[in-house]
């Protein structure tokens, strides 16, 4: 064989090997794509299952009455599976009702409770994608009178329903094409989304299988747990705070008694789905994704993430908080997402991308600060850590670096807090001036401070503004657990600017007793009080004009029992996790493993707790949700450091 022939065979062999490599890479890529498609399909199926949509009835009754809607279970209607929305009268009104999780093909509507005439202008079924409208002609076609209805007639005002008895009812057959449309749209989104995710993973990981697996797991694990929690507590527990935020989102923000930012965020979520479960799932997923990302960043192994997350979610004060559509979860989600971004900036070399992440993390911190009135204390360590990451890339001299960090961190903190206070004064997007309740909140806390000091001293320290108030009355009306439980005291002590002087006088002359209320407040918040943990929000949806309510669920009820009973166990109380975190901090210091990232996590949690103690007026153990979350992560990360060294 001559050299020429041998060379040709060698070249052919190399080309053949290159071809095989390309073919194997393509096969590997296709396998990865199928995995991504499967995971996204499961996620979208869960989203479609969770976001069942709402039914809105536009009706008018010529008498003061109410309407009732029944959903079939095993083909039968029952009182337990019905919804009675708000009353309606001669004025036209829209009645909003959440649809059940299970698919339905028909519903029963009882439009009144007496012989009368009702006009239904239209009925809308808002789904995840699109809205099904039943206009009067459609209602006449799909409606089937069941009892006490004389006739159904299309009029210019809508479908006229004339009832002849006290229990009129008709059945409405739902269009089957809507479910098929939702399925097709979900399928199209699944294909395009999986292609987009695949191309992103291919670009950033070059299809290295271990990296691809980790990236997928970082998304899948929080999605799985978020969907599970959203479905378990569907549509999410809603307290007065929750409904106040929802009304602000849909009717306009009119005050800053509660943070307006929650309403603005909910307004954006409503663009995707008006089902409250959309807001619930959004805040949970952002939180859990950030938690998973942070734990993985420190441990570098997905198995530790899989171990930590179930432990974290088993904490009663954590799971009980995640069950509620609540500002505390939203704030924690924004803060942890910001920390995840800041921590990732250390490895960024591209200047433009670095600047983008700097602005993005600042925006996330701003959103977190605006989600709770006293969140700024927890944001300070995050902002200074951001300043450290930003300055360390351009300043190498240690004295100059720390000086730059101090000035930049101070500037960021001042800017964020100033922007937050301005947001509380004006309603968006109209920029109308609205009432700011921050001064009132501060003064109510001062009333409780003076009340606690009065009991400690053994005399009425409100004498300058309430001379007739007796010590027994203070003792009877004062409850350190919540401002609402001390309402009787607030009624007897005028909460105005005069309390400021009384408060300052008590702080100067009775410094030890001045901390009495703070001590009682802290004791209840960390679960160090006698008896059960103080968890005030009931597992329910408060009565509301939207018709939202909890469906029957034995699994949810069993979970609520677990939260209540497990919260009494010492190792599930917040103080236990805080004690562990202090031990973890000491360990990291002595082993010289403590980093600025560790310090930031720990100090952010402690600063936030300090802000609640100094300025808070409630001792619900769930209020320390952010502190409990961060310190449990901090402890777990330190355990990983210990395991790595041994």
């Amino acid at each position: 064989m001559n050299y020429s022939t041998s060379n040709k065979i060698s070249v052919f062999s190399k080309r053949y090997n290159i071809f095989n490599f390309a073919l194997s890479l393509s096969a590997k890529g296709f396998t990865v794509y199928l995995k991504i498609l499967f995971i996204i399909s499961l996620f979208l199926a869960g989203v479609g299952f969770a976001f069942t949509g709402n039914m809105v009835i536009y009706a008018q009754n010529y008498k003061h009455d109410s309407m009732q809607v029944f959903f079939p279970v095993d083909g039968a209607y029952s009182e337990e599976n019905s919804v009675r929305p708000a009353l309606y009268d001669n004025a036209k009104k829209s009645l909003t009702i959440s649809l059940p999780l299970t698919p339905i093909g028909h519903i029963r509507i009882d439009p009144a409770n007496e012989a009368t005439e009702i006009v239904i202008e239209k009925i809308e079924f808002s789904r995840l994608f699109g809205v099904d409208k039943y206009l009067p002609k459609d209602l006449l076609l799909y409606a089937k009178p069941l009892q006490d209805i004389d006739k159904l007639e299309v009029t210019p005002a809508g479908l006229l329903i004339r009832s002849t008895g006290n229990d009129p009812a008709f059945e409405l057959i739902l269009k089957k094409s809507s479910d098929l449309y939702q399925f097709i749209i979900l399928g199209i989104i699944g294909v395009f989304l999986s292609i987009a995710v695949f191309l992103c993973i291919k670009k950033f990981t070059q299809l290295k299988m271990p990296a691809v697996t980790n990236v997928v797991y970082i998304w899948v694990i929080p999605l799985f747990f978020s969907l599970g929690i959203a479905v378990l507590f569907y549509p999410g527990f809603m307290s007065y705070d929750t409904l106040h935020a929802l009304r602000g989102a849909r009717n306009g923000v009119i005050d800053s008694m509660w943070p307006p930012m929650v309403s603005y965020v909910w307004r954006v979520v409503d663009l995707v789905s008006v089902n409250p479960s959309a807001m619930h799932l959004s805040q949970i997923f952002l939180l859990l994704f950030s938690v998973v990302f942070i734990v993985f960043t420190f441990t570098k192994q997905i198995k530790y993430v899989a171990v930590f997350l179930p432990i974290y979610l088993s904490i009663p004060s954590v799971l009980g908080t995640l069950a509620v559509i609540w500002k505390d979860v939203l704030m924690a989600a924004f803060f942890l997402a910001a920390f995840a971004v800041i921590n990732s900036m250390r490895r960024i070399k591209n200047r433009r991308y670095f600047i983008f992440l700097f602005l993005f993390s600042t925006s996330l911190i701003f959103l977190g600060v605006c989600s709770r009135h006293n969140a700024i204390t927890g944001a300070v360590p995050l902002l200074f850590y951001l300043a450290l990451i930003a300055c360390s890339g351009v300043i190498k001299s240690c004295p100059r670096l720390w000086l730059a960090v101090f000035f930049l961190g101070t500037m960021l903190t001042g800017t964020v807090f100033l922007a937050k206070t301005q947001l509380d004064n004006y309603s968006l997007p109209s920029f109308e001036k609205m009432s700011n309740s921050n001064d009132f909140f501060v003064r109510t806390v001062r009333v409780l401070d003076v009340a606690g000091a009065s009991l400690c001293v053994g005399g009425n320290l409100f004498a300058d503004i309430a001379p007739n108030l007796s010590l027994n009355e203070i003792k009877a009306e004062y409850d350190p657990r919540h401002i609402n439980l001390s309402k009787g005291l607030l009624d007897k002590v005028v909460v105005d600017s005069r309390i400021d002087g009384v408060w300052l006088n008590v702080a100067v002359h009775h410094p030890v007793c001045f901390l009495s209320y703070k001590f009682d407040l802290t004791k209840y918040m960390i679960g160090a009080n006698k008896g059960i943990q103080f968890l005030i929000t009931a597992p329910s949806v408060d009565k509301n004009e939207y018709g939202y309510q909890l469906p029957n669920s034995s699994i949810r009820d069993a979970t609520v029992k677990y939260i209540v009973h497990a919260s009494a166990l010492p190792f599930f109380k917040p103080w236990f996790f805080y004690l562990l975190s202090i031990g973890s901090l000491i360990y990291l210091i002595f082993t010289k493993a403590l980093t600025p990232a560790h310090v930031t996590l720990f100090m952010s949690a402690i600063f936030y707790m300090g802000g609640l103690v100094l300025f808070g007026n409630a001792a619900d153990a769930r209020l320390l949700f952010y502190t409990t979350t961060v310190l449990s992560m901090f402890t777990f990360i330190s355990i990983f450091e210990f395991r790595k060294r041994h």
Side-chain angles (χ1 to χ4, degrees), residues 347-422:
R347 298 180 293 274
I348 302 301
K349 302 299 182 182
N350 185 288
R351 184 178 178 182
R352 290 184 179 179
Y353 190 39
F354 186 90
I355 294 174
F356 167 76
L357 292 182
F358 178 89
L359 297 175
F360 182 50
S361 59
T362 305
S363 300
L364 288 171
I365 295 174
F366 172 72
L367 291 172
V369 168
C370 293
S371 298
R372 214 181 192 289
H373 284 317
N374 59 340
I376 185 64
T377 55
V380 171
L382 298 176
L383 290 167
F384 274 83
Y385 184 46
L386 175 61
L388 174 63
I389 297 299
C391 294
S392 59
V394 293
I395 302 175
K396 302 303 179 182
S397 172
C398 192
R400 290 183 179 180
L401 173 62
W402 290 115
L403 187 63
V405 169
F406 173 77
F407 280 111
L408 180 58
T410 303
M411 185 184 70
L412 287 172
T413 302
T415 302
V416 167
F417 186 68
L418 179 62
K420 186 265 180 194
T421 55
Q422 292 304 309

Side-chain angles (χ1 to χ4, degrees), residues 33-83:
Y33 170 73
L34 290 180
K35 290 180 180 179
I36 295 171
L37 178 62
F38 176 73
I39 292 167
I40 289 179
S41 299
L42 286 180
F43 168 65
L44 292 177
V47 170
F49 178 72
F51 299 149
T52 53
N54 294 322
M55 172 186 179
V56 184
I57 304 175
Y58 297 85
Q60 181 179 11
N61 192 346
Y62 296 99
K63 295 181 180 180
H64 193 66
D65 207 341
S66 64
M67 182 179 292
Q68 192 169 10
V69 178
F70 293 80
F71 300 107
V73 175
D74 296 329
Y77 300 111
S78 65
E79 194 75 23
E80 292 76 17
N81 295 292
S82 68
V83 177

Side-chain angles (χ1 to χ4, degrees), residues 9 14 85 106 217 247 265 273 384 399 471 529 578 592 617:
I9 293 176
K14 288 180 180 179
H106 53 86
Y217 280 146
R247 293 185 187 100
V265 172
S273 173
F384 274 83
L471 187 63
N529 58 290
Y578 302 167
K592 298 181 180 180
N617 57 13

Side-chain angles (χ1 to χ4, degrees), residues 101-119:
L101 288 173
T102 54
I104 52 175
H106 53 86
I107 58 174
R108 169 182 158 177
I109 300 177
D110 292 12
N113 294 293
E114 59 180 321
T116 184
E117 290 186 348
I118 309 100
V119 174

Side-chain angles (χ1 to χ4, degrees), residues 590-610:
F590 274 96
T591 57
K592 298 181 180 180
L594 192 68
T595 66
H598 291 122
V599 173
T600 301
L601 279 176
F602 187 84
M603 297 308 296
S604 180
I606 297 301
F607 276 31
Y608 179 72
M609 178 180 172

Side-chain angles (χ1 to χ4, degrees), residues 540-554:
S540 62
V541 173
D542 286 5
K543 189 175 181 180
N544 59 87
E545 65 271 30
Y546 303 103
Y548 299 140
Q549 63 178 13
L550 293 176
N552 294 329
S553 171
S554 58

Side-chain angles (χ1 to χ4, degrees), residues 475-524:
K475 186 175 182 180
E477 302 292 352
Y478 165 74
D479 194 323
R481 294 178 298 170
H482 200 280
I483 191 67
N484 292 341
L485 302 177
S486 300
K487 189 177 183 302
L489 179 64
L490 296 176
D491 293 337
K492 295 176 180 178
V493 178
V494 180
V495 185
D496 57 21
S497 59
R498 290 178 295 172
I499 191 63
D500 299 338
V502 173
W503 179 81
L504 183 60
N505 182 63
V506 172
V508 172
H509 293 92
H510 307 281
V512 176
C513 285
F514 178 74
L515 299 175
S516 176
Y517 168 63
K518 307 300 185 188
F519 176 76
D520 290 338
L521 186 78
T522 305
K523 186 171 61 176
Y524 280 101

